[in-house]
Amino acid sequence: DVKVTQSSRYLVKRTGEKVFLECVQDMDHENMFWYRQDPGLGLRLIYFSYDVKMKEKGDIPEGYSVSREKKERFSLILESASTNQTSMYLCASRTGGTYNEQFFGPGTRLTVL
Amino acid sequence: GENVGLHLPTLSVQEGDNSIINCAYSNSASDYFIWYKQESGKGPQFIIDIRSNMDKRQGQRVTVLLNKTVKHLSLQIAATQPGDSAVYFCAENEGYSTLTFGKGTMLLVSP
């Protein structure tokens, strides 16, 4: 059974804190993604990675960075958390190439106070 | 997420009815489409996909129809059950690009 796991389901942080969100997949997928999901705005792509050590900006990368040191792990970093980064964060992975479905993790609900 | 259903169009059906959820996509060059289901507090779950060389694809109790002429995708759920209550959204993809997601539709099934 395929699996994408995220380090926390719920997280509460203070403004200005550095926040790490971890994502691990056990499917040997090349591609990994970070989204945020907000009411009325749908899923928005923050960053993605086609392979280890590679990263690409998505639609809303400002205020975020990522790290992909190992194939199975993709980390999202909020360098200095702000209240407008309160959101649901979803990680996903898929195998490389075309016509391949994307598998999602359970999400991390981050609240920045 | 817990409140992902806010601000979304809602389809309310009775248990046992057939449901049809629609999606208009934007890119005429998209060649791969996916339907996802998202229950409250959970991540999106793959339901069914279809490539642009097909008009229809069937799964278990679900059928996806693709009309490329008008850039329209629909998801049909047969004999809808209370467990089908969730937010459903479509996603489109062109070649090696990233997925583009629709805003979603909330499906509410009454017993």
Side-chain angles (χ1 to χ4, degrees):
Chain A
D1 195 18
V2 298
K3 207 155 192 180
V4 180
T5 56
Q6 294 182 230
S7 50
S8 306
R9 291 302 306 275
Y10 300 93
L11 208 53
V12 180
K13 295 292 182 180
R14 297 211 173 270
T15 301
E17 280 193 80
K18 191 169 186 176
V19 182
F20 292 88
L21 302 182
E22 304 285 342
C23 175
V24 177
Q25 50 95 4
D26 65 359
M27 298 164 282
D28 201 36
H29 284 167
E30 290 83 7
N31 305 162
M32 295 188 75
F33 307 83
W34 274 107
Y35 298 88
R36 61 178 285 176
Q37 185 176 35
D38 301 285
L41 298 177
L43 280 161
R44 292 182 291 168
L45 182 62
I46 305 171
Y47 265 98
F48 60 103
S49 168
Y50 283 128
D51 208 339
V52 178
K53 304 282 188 183
M54 296 178 66
K55 59 184 179 183
E56 299 284 342
K57 292 181 179 179
D59 300 318
I60 51 163
E62 296 78 19
Y64 303 94
S65 62
V66 291
S67 173
R68 184 119 183 250
E69 295 298 316
K70 293 185 177 181
K71 191 175 186 180
E72 68 270 19
R73 188 180 298 270
F74 192 35
S75 303
L76 180 69
I77 304 154
L78 286 66
E79 295 291 340
S80 178
S82 63
T83 55
N84 63 12
Q85 291 178 310
T86 291
S87 186
M88 169 66 81
Y89 289 88
L90 289 160
C91 176
S93 74
R94 73 176 184 195
T95 193
T98 58
Y99 310 127
N100 294 311
E101 65 184 272
Q102 198 163 284
F103 296 89
F104 284 87
T108 295
R109 180 72 193 166
L110 173 66
T111 302
V112 183
L113 301 175
Chain B
E2 292 84 5
N3 58 353
V4 69
L6 292 178
H7 312 296
L8 292 179
T10 300
L11 175 65
S12 296
V13 301
Q14 294 286 324
E15 182 178 2
D17 287 352
N18 295 331
S19 303
I20 300 176
I21 301 170
N22 296 304
C23 176
Y25 64 92
S26 56
N27 183 2
S28 56
S30 290
D31 55 6
Y32 179 57
F33 305 86
I34 305 175
W35 277 101
Y36 284 94
K37 171 186 180 182
Q38 188 174 21
E39 297 174 272
S40 181
K42 297 183 179 180
Q45 180 184 7
F46 171 89
I47 303 173
I48 192 168
D49 59 0
I50 188 168
R51 299 186 186 184
S52 59
N53 60 353
M54 302 171 70
D55 298 321
K56 179 180 179 178
R57 190 163 188 226
Q58 288 185 287
Q60 190 175 15
R61 279 201 310 120
V62 295
T63 301
V64 55
L65 298 177
L66 174 62
N67 184 331
K68 294 181 288 294
T69 303
V70 295
K71 293 188 288 186
H72 184 268
L73 197 65
S74 68
L75 177 71
Q76 300 178 359
I77 305 174
T80 315
Q81 303 166 1
D84 294 327
S85 293
V87 173
Y88 291 81
F89 51 90
C90 64
E92 60 179 300
N93 180 223
E94 177 190 357
Y96 291 93
S97 68
T98 57
L99 286 172
T100 300
F101 293 88
K103 296 286 192 291
T105 297
M106 174 168 276
L107 177 66
L108 296 175
V109 183
S110 305

Coordinates of all heavy atoms in Angstrom, one line a residue, chain A residues 58-104:
Chain A
G58 N 7.1 26.8 -7.3 CA 5.8 26.7 -7.8 C 5.1 28.0 -8.0 O 5.8 29.0 -8.3
D59 N 3.8 28.1 -7.7 CA 3.1 29.4 -7.9 C 3.3 30.4 -6.8 O 3.2 31.6 -7.0 CB 1.6 29.0 -8.1 CG 1.4 28.1 -9.2 OD1 2.0 28.3 -10.3 OD2 0.6 27.2 -9.1
I60 N 3.5 29.9 -5.5 CA 3.6 30.8 -4.4 C 4.8 30.5 -3.5 O 4.6 30.1 -2.3 CB 2.3 30.8 -3.5 CG1 1.9 29.3 -3.2 CG2 1.1 31.4 -4.3 CD1 0.9 29.2 -2.1
P61 N 6.0 30.6 -4.0 CA 7.2 30.2 -3.2 C 7.6 31.2 -2.1 O 8.4 30.8 -1.2 CB 8.3 30.0 -4.3 CG 7.9 31.1 -5.3 CD 6.4 31.1 -5.3
E62 N 7.1 32.4 -2.2 CA 7.6 33.5 -1.3 C 7.4 33.1 0.2 O 6.3 32.7 0.6 CB 6.9 34.8 -1.6 CG 7.2 35.4 -3.0 CD 6.4 34.7 -4.1 OE1 5.4 34.0 -3.8 OE2 6.8 34.7 -5.3
G63 N 8.5 33.2 1.0 CA 8.4 32.9 2.4 C 8.7 31.5 2.7 O 8.6 31.1 3.9
Y64 N 8.9 30.7 1.7 CA 9.2 29.2 1.9 C 10.5 28.8 1.2 O 11.0 29.5 0.3 CB 8.1 28.4 1.3 CG 6.7 28.7 1.8 CD1 5.9 29.6 1.1 CD2 6.2 28.1 2.9 CE1 4.6 29.8 1.5 CE2 4.9 28.3 3.3 CZ 4.1 29.2 2.6 OH 2.8 29.5 3.1
S65 N 11.1 27.7 1.7 CA 12.2 27.1 1.0 C 12.0 25.6 1.2 O 11.1 25.2 2.0 CB 13.6 27.5 1.6 OG 13.7 27.2 3.0
V66 N 12.8 24.8 0.5 CA 12.6 23.3 0.6 C 14.0 22.7 0.6 O 15.0 23.3 0.2 CB 11.8 22.8 -0.6 CG1 10.3 23.2 -0.5 CG2 12.4 23.2 -1.9
S67 N 14.0 21.4 0.9 CA 15.2 20.6 0.9 C 14.9 19.2 0.5 O 13.9 18.6 1.0 CB 15.8 20.6 2.4 OG 16.9 19.8 2.4
R68 N 15.7 18.7 -0.4 CA 15.5 17.3 -0.8 C 16.9 16.6 -0.8 O 17.5 16.5 -1.9 CB 14.8 17.2 -2.2 CG 14.5 15.7 -2.6 CD 13.1 15.5 -2.8 NE 12.8 14.1 -3.1 CZ 12.4 13.7 -4.3 NH1 12.2 14.6 -5.3 NH2 12.1 12.5 -4.6
E69 N 17.3 16.2 0.3 CA 18.7 15.5 0.5 C 18.6 14.0 0.2 O 19.6 13.4 -0.3 CB 19.2 15.8 1.9 CG 19.5 17.2 2.2 CD 20.6 17.8 1.3 OE1 21.6 17.1 1.1 OE2 20.4 18.9 0.8
K70 N 17.4 13.4 0.4 CA 17.2 12.0 0.1 C 16.0 11.9 -0.8 O 15.0 12.7 -0.7 CB 17.1 11.2 1.4 CG 18.4 11.2 2.2 CD 18.2 10.2 3.4 CE 19.5 10.1 4.2 NZ 19.3 9.2 5.3
K71 N 15.9 10.9 -1.6 CA 14.8 10.7 -2.5 C 13.5 10.6 -1.8 O 12.5 11.1 -2.3 CB 15.1 9.4 -3.3 CG 14.1 9.3 -4.5 CD 14.5 8.0 -5.4 CE 13.7 8.0 -6.6 NZ 14.0 6.8 -7.4
E72 N 13.5 9.9 -0.6 CA 12.2 9.7 0.0 C 11.7 10.9 0.9 O 10.6 10.8 1.3 CB 12.3 8.4 0.9 CG 13.2 8.6 2.1 CD 14.6 8.2 1.8 OE1 15.0 8.1 0.6 OE2 15.4 7.9 2.8
R73 N 12.5 11.9 1.0 CA 12.2 12.9 2.0 C 12.2 14.3 1.4 O 13.2 14.7 0.7 CB 13.1 12.9 3.2 CG 12.8 13.8 4.3 CD 13.8 13.6 5.4 NE 13.9 12.3 6.0 CZ 13.1 11.9 7.0 NH1 12.3 12.7 7.6 NH2 13.2 10.6 7.4
F74 N 11.1 15.1 1.6 CA 11.0 16.4 1.0 C 10.6 17.3 2.2 O 9.5 17.1 2.7 CB 10.1 16.4 -0.1 CG 10.1 17.7 -1.0 CD1 11.2 18.4 -1.2 CD2 8.9 18.1 -1.6 CE1 11.3 19.5 -2.1 CE2 8.9 19.2 -2.4 CZ 10.1 19.9 -2.7
S75 N 11.4 18.3 2.5 CA 11.1 19.2 3.7 C 10.7 20.6 3.2 O 11.3 21.1 2.3 CB 12.3 19.3 4.6 OG 12.7 18.0 5.0
L76 N 9.7 21.1 3.8 CA 9.3 22.5 3.6 C 9.7 23.3 4.8 O 9.4 22.9 5.9 CB 7.8 22.6 3.4 CG 7.2 24.0 3.1 CD1 7.6 24.5 1.7 CD2 5.7 23.9 3.2
I77 N 10.3 24.5 4.5 CA 10.8 25.3 5.6 C 10.2 26.7 5.5 O 10.2 27.3 4.4 CB 12.4 25.4 5.5 CG1 13.0 24.0 5.5 CG2 12.9 26.2 6.6 CD1 14.3 23.9 4.8
L78 N 9.7 27.1 6.6 CA 9.2 28.5 6.8 C 10.3 29.2 7.6 O 10.5 29.0 8.8 CB 7.9 28.6 7.5 CG 6.6 28.1 6.7 CD1 6.6 26.6 6.4 CD2 5.4 28.5 7.5
E79 N 11.1 30.1 6.9 CA 12.2 30.7 7.6 C 11.8 31.6 8.7 O 12.5 31.6 9.8 CB 13.0 31.5 6.5 CG 13.6 30.7 5.4 CD 14.8 29.8 5.9 OE1 15.4 30.1 7.0 OE2 15.1 28.9 5.2
S80 N 10.8 32.3 8.6 CA 10.3 33.2 9.7 C 8.7 33.2 9.5 O 8.2 34.0 8.7 CB 10.8 34.6 9.5 OG 10.3 35.4 10.5
A81 N 8.1 32.3 10.3 CA 6.6 32.1 10.1 C 5.9 33.4 10.3 O 6.2 34.2 11.2 CB 6.2 31.1 11.1
S82 N 4.8 33.6 9.5 CA 3.9 34.8 9.7 C 2.5 34.3 9.7 O 2.2 33.1 9.3 CB 4.1 35.7 8.5 OG 3.8 35.1 7.3
T83 N 1.6 35.1 10.2 CA 0.2 34.7 10.4 C -0.4 34.3 9.1 O -1.3 33.4 9.1 CB -0.6 35.8 11.1 OG1 -0.5 37.0 10.4 CG2 -0.1 36.0 12.6
N84 N 0.0 34.9 8.0 CA -0.7 34.6 6.7 C -0.2 33.2 6.2 O -0.6 32.8 5.1 CB -0.5 35.7 5.7 CG 1.0 36.0 5.3 OD1 1.9 35.2 5.7 ND2 1.2 37.0 4.6
Q85 N 0.7 32.6 6.9 CA 1.1 31.2 6.5 C 0.3 30.2 7.3 O 0.6 29.0 7.2 CB 2.6 31.0 6.7 CG 3.4 31.9 5.7 CD 4.9 31.7 5.9 OE1 5.4 31.9 7.0 NE2 5.6 31.5 4.8
T86 N -0.7 30.6 8.1 CA -1.6 29.7 8.7 C -2.4 29.0 7.6 O -3.0 29.7 6.8 CB -2.5 30.4 9.7 OG1 -1.8 30.9 10.8 CG2 -3.7 29.5 10.1
S87 N -2.3 27.7 7.5 CA -2.9 27.0 6.4 C -2.9 25.5 6.6 O -2.2 25.0 7.5 CB -2.2 27.3 5.1 OG -2.9 26.8 4.0
M88 N -3.5 24.7 5.7 CA -3.3 23.3 5.6 C -2.2 23.0 4.6 O -2.3 23.5 3.4 CB -4.6 22.6 5.2 CG -4.4 21.1 4.8 SD -3.9 20.1 6.2 CE -5.5 19.8 6.9
Y89 N -1.2 22.3 4.9 CA 0.0 22.0 4.0 C -0.1 20.5 3.6 O -0.2 19.6 4.5 CB 1.3 22.3 4.7 CG 1.5 23.8 4.8 CD1 1.0 24.5 5.9 CD2 2.1 24.5 3.8 CE1 1.2 25.9 6.1 CE2 2.3 25.9 3.9 CZ 1.8 26.6 5.0 OH 1.9 27.9 5.1
L90 N -0.1 20.3 2.3 CA -0.2 19.0 1.8 C 1.1 18.6 1.0 O 1.5 19.4 0.1 CB -1.4 18.9 0.9 CG -2.8 18.9 1.6 CD1 -3.9 19.3 0.7 CD2 -3.0 17.5 2.3
C91 N 1.6 17.4 1.3 CA 2.7 16.9 0.5 C 2.2 15.9 -0.5 O 1.2 15.2 -0.2 CB 3.7 16.3 1.5 SG 5.1 15.5 0.7
A92 N 2.8 15.7 -1.6 CA 2.4 14.7 -2.6 C 3.7 14.2 -3.3 O 4.7 14.8 -3.3 CB 1.4 15.3 -3.6
S93 N 3.5 13.0 -3.8 CA 4.6 12.4 -4.6 C 4.0 11.7 -5.8 O 2.9 11.3 -5.8 CB 5.5 11.5 -3.8 OG 4.8 10.3 -3.5
R94 N 4.8 11.5 -6.8 CA 4.5 10.6 -8.0 C 5.7 10.2 -8.7 O 6.8 10.8 -8.5 CB 3.6 11.4 -9.0 CG 4.3 12.4 -9.8 CD 3.4 13.1 -10.8 NE 4.1 14.0 -11.7 CZ 3.5 14.9 -12.4 NH1 2.2 15.0 -12.5 NH2 4.3 15.7 -13.2
T95 N 5.6 9.1 -9.4 CA 6.7 8.6 -10.2 C 6.9 9.6 -11.4 O 6.1 10.3 -11.8 CB 6.5 7.2 -10.6 OG1 7.7 6.6 -11.1 CG2 5.4 7.1 -11.7
G96 N 8.1 9.5 -12.0 CA 8.4 10.5 -13.0 C 7.7 10.1 -14.3 O 7.1 9.0 -14.4
G97 N 7.8 10.9 -15.3 CA 7.1 10.6 -16.6 C 5.7 11.3 -16.6 O 5.4 12.1 -15.8
T98 N 4.9 10.8 -17.6 CA 3.6 11.4 -17.8 C 2.5 10.4 -17.4 O 2.8 9.2 -17.2 CB 3.4 11.8 -19.2 OG1 3.6 10.6 -20.1 CG2 4.4 12.8 -19.7
Y99 N 1.3 10.8 -17.3 CA 0.2 10.0 -17.0 C 0.3 9.2 -15.7 O -0.1 8.1 -15.6 CB -0.1 9.0 -18.1 CG -0.2 9.7 -19.5 CD1 0.6 9.2 -20.5 CD2 -1.0 10.8 -19.7 CE1 0.6 9.8 -21.8 CE2 -1.0 11.3 -21.0 CZ -0.2 10.8 -22.0 OH -0.3 11.4 -23.2
N100 N 0.9 9.9 -14.7 CA 1.0 9.2 -13.4 C 0.3 9.9 -12.3 O 0.5 11.2 -12.2 CB 2.5 9.1 -13.1 CG 3.3 8.2 -14.0 OD1 2.9 7.1 -14.3 ND2 4.4 8.7 -14.5
E101 N -0.5 9.2 -11.6 CA -1.3 9.9 -10.5 C -0.3 10.4 -9.4 O 0.8 9.9 -9.2 CB -2.3 8.9 -9.9 CG -1.6 7.7 -9.2 CD -2.7 6.7 -8.7 OE1 -3.1 6.9 -7.6 OE2 -2.9 5.8 -9.5
Q102 N -0.9 11.3 -8.7 CA -0.1 11.9 -7.6 C -0.8 11.5 -6.3 O -2.0 11.6 -6.1 CB -0.2 13.5 -7.8 CG 0.8 14.3 -7.0 CD 0.9 15.7 -7.6 OE1 1.4 15.9 -8.6 NE2 0.3 16.6 -6.9
F103 N 0.1 11.0 -5.3 CA -0.4 10.6 -4.1 C -0.2 11.6 -3.0 O 0.9 12.2 -2.9 CB 0.3 9.3 -3.7 CG 0.0 8.1 -4.6 CD1 0.8 7.9 -5.7 CD2 -1.0 7.2 -4.3 CE1 0.6 6.8 -6.5 CE2 -1.2 6.2 -5.2 CZ -0.4 6.0 -6.3
F104 N -1.2 11.9 -2.2 CA -1.1 12.9 -1.2 C -0.9 12.3 0.2 O -1.4 11.2 0.6 CB -2.3 13.7 -1.1 CG -2.4 14.7 -2.3 CD1 -3.0 14.4 -3.5 CD2 -2.0 16.0 -2.1 CE1 -3.0 15.3 -4.5 CE2 -2.0 17.0 -3.1 CZ -2.6 16.6 -4.3

